[in-house]
Amino acid sequence: MTPAFQNLQITFDRLDRRITRWMARYSLVILRIGLGVVFIWFGALKLVPGLSSAEELVRNTIFFFDPDIFLPILAIWEVLIGVGFLVGLFTNKLQRLTILLLFMQMFGTALPLVLLPETSWKSFPLVPTLEGQYIIKNLVIIGSALVLGATVRGGRLISEPEE
């Protein structure tokens, strides 16, 4: 290996370590803020009739409740999840409740995949519609909540394993 290549490799390694340390330090905070903003935003849209793109999907899925009563409850629920993530920046204890509310909401969000297959699938199970994609992407939200849940007892991300 040439000295120039070794120097380049050392420089890359130093840069990679700095970036990785930065991500380990700030990614959980950024994740909490991102989830908080998304839930507040999407929940707030549901508070105004006709404003949320998901309103029709919710109305068609929730046939066992009056949608005019259920939609504002769902909207407030989502806003509370968002606020929980943002306030959770300051206290991990709130994270448990926030994550529980999120998982309960995610169960309801997945219902159209089963109850409205004609709305969710072009061809089951490999080709979802736009609505189906909207629902399936919630797997990322669930994964994010699991990562945050792993920190409620003081867990954290580390950039390198301890030796």
Side-chain angles (χ1 to χ4, degrees):
M1 195 177 316
T2 67
F5 185 74
Q6 279 183 321
N7 286 341
L8 183 61
Q9 195 172 21
I10 290 168
T11 301
F12 175 79
D13 186 60
R14 285 182 185 151
L15 179 62
D16 184 58
R17 286 176 190 275
R18 288 181 73 184
I19 291 169
T20 304
R21 281 193 300 270
W22 185 91
M23 289 189 292
R25 184 171 186 183
Y26 296 107
S27 60
L28 293 174
V29 170
I30 292 168
L31 185 58
R32 279 189 177 99
I33 292 170
L35 284 171
V37 167
V38 166
F39 273 92
I40 290 170
W41 193 340
F42 288 9
L45 289 175
K46 288 180 182 79
L47 286 171
V48 181
L51 204 54
S52 172
S53 299
E55 182 177 340
E56 184 179 345
L57 187 61
V58 173
R59 286 183 173 280
N60 292 336
T61 303
I62 306 303
F63 51 84
F64 39 87
F65 292 110
D66 179 353
D68 291 328
I69 295 172
F70 183 79
L71 267 165
I73 292 170
L74 177 62
I76 292 167
W77 187 303
E78 290 180 358
V79 169
L80 286 173
I81 292 170
V83 169
F85 279 123
L86 294 180
V87 173
L89 290 168
F90 309 107
T91 171
N92 277 343
K93 293 185 192 295
L94 184 58
Q95 290 301 305
R96 289 178 178 90
L97 176 60
T98 302
I99 292 167
L100 174 64
L101 292 174
L102 179 142
F103 283 124
M104 292 168 66
Q105 189 265 356
M106 285 292 128
F107 174 76
T109 301
L111 285 176
L113 295 174
V114 177
L115 297 179
L116 300 172
E118 67 283 353
T119 302
S120 303
W121 304 101
K122 286 183 181 180
S123 177
F124 179 81
L126 298 177
V127 186
T129 62
L130 186 58
E131 290 86 351
Q133 292 176 36
Y134 177 80
I135 296 165
I136 292 168
K137 66 91 179 90
N138 287 334
L139 292 172
V140 175
I141 291 176
I142 292 167
S144 299
L146 291 171
V147 168
L148 292 175
T151 67
V152 298
R153 293 184 164 271
R156 61 185 173 87
L157 295 179
I158 56 171
S159 59
E160 295 185 37
E162 294 179 18
E163 297 191 19

